[in-house]
Amino acid sequence: DTAVSQTPKYLVTQMGNDKSIKCEQNLGHDTMYWYKQDSKKFLKIMFSYNNKELIINETVPNRFSPKSPDKAHLNLHINSLELGDSAVYFCASSIRTGVRTGELFFGEGSRLTVL
Amino acid sequence: KQEVTQIPAALSVPEGENLVLNCSFTDSAIYNLQWFRQDPGKGLTSLLLIQSSQREQTSGRLNASLDKSSGRSTLYIAASQPGDSATYLCAKAGNMLTFGGGTRLMVKP
């Protein structure tokens, strides 16, 4: 009964392809996030959704399109993949959002490799 | 410019040592600070969360402190064990959650 689960865990694809990563949380949290961890291990926020509504979009190229069908799911779709998109993408959730961000719970990550 | 900085970037200690990991942040607007552990190829596990009104939190052998005035947090690990080997990240919650670069800890048997 994983709290935050992501699929797939590994993804290898060619440049120019379109791919999706799915995330689900069973914690009853209102807020979900996508983070990108680059090769230097820095974690950067990409998107934040609160109850299906986008609240943070951190200058991410519009090739990245998050979709939240309900507050328990936040999927990430990436169009026209580029080499620089290779990274580990983490989904996370928290009870609260905004300036009083509560404790974050992370998924295990999805390692994307673009060839 | 890195808003949240962790020093050292890597640390190797013999088993049993007490150690301190440092986290500093430049923006004094902080609502809470969270320490995470990341094992290789794994996600992040929350260790401790310190609210801005608190000065420290303890969980087992871990103690985290927060000093907003100096922009610092420390994670103290007592009696380190090989199983503590991992990367430790701090994250500051201001208008958003900002992560430090992490400290890679190796505890040798």
Side-chain angles (χ1 to χ4, degrees):
Chain A
D1 57 343
T2 306
V4 182
S5 58
Q6 302 177 223
T7 54
K9 191 170 183 179
Y10 299 97
L11 190 54
V12 181
T13 189
Q14 300 287 333
M15 276 176 54
N17 284 350
D18 303 338
K19 291 292 178 186
S20 293
I21 307 172
K22 296 184 177 181
C23 179
E24 175 182 4
Q25 54 95 4
N26 62 7
L27 297 167
H29 290 167
D30 288 327
T31 307
M32 296 185 71
Y33 311 80
W34 277 109
Y35 281 84
K36 179 180 179 180
Q37 188 172 42
D38 60 23
S39 57
K40 295 183 179 179
K41 306 299 183 185
F42 284 108
L43 267 163
K44 291 186 178 178
I45 182 93
M46 298 175 68
F47 300 101
S48 173
Y49 267 72
N50 182 56
N51 205 8
K52 301 193 300 178
E53 289 190 16
L54 177 67
I55 55 174
I56 292 176
N57 179 343
E58 278 297 303
T59 60
V60 177
N62 57 16
R63 296 183 296 105
F64 291 78
S65 52
K67 285 187 171 52
S68 182
D70 54 62
K71 74 174 192 176
H73 295 84
L74 181 61
N75 304 322
L76 183 65
H77 188 75
I78 315 171
N79 289 328
S80 303
L81 279 157
E82 301 177 357
L83 293 176
D85 297 332
S86 296
V88 182
Y89 293 85
F90 286 98
C91 177
S93 71
S94 68
I95 293 176
R96 294 186 297 273
T97 185
V99 294
R100 296 187 182 277
T101 303
E103 187 175 5
L104 252 63
F105 294 83
F106 279 81
E108 296 228 321
S110 297
R111 182 176 293 277
L112 171 65
T113 303
V114 182
L115 303 176
Chain B
K1 178 184 175 185
Q2 191 72 6
E3 185 178 335
V4 180
T5 306
Q6 291 187 244
I7 295 173
L11 182 63
S12 181
V13 300
E15 182 178 4
E17 266 200 19
N18 301 325
L19 56 99
V20 175
L21 306 181
N22 296 295
C23 173
S24 60
F25 45 91
T26 55
D27 186 351
S28 60
I30 177 173
Y31 293 92
N32 65 59
L33 189 132
Q34 195 167 358
W35 281 93
F36 294 87
R37 169 185 173 140
Q38 184 176 26
D39 292 284
K42 298 289 186 180
L44 280 72
T45 302
S46 177
L47 297 173
L48 291 163
L49 174 73
I50 312 175
Q51 299 291 349
S52 61
S53 58
Q54 299 172 323
R55 292 192 62 86
E56 64 178 329
Q57 282 285 336
T58 298
S59 176
R61 293 182 294 107
L62 305 179
N63 175 277
S65 66
L66 175 63
D67 184 340
K68 289 190 298 181
S69 62
S70 65
R72 289 183 180 181
S73 176
T74 60
L75 179 67
Y76 175 82
I77 304 177
S80 58
Q81 303 171 358
D84 295 332
S85 299
T87 296
Y88 291 81
L89 297 111
C90 67
K92 177 185 83 76
N95 289 326
M96 65 181 72
L97 199 67
T98 304
F99 281 83
T103 294
R104 292 189 310 280
L105 173 65
M106 172 74 72
V107 180
K108 297 180 178 179

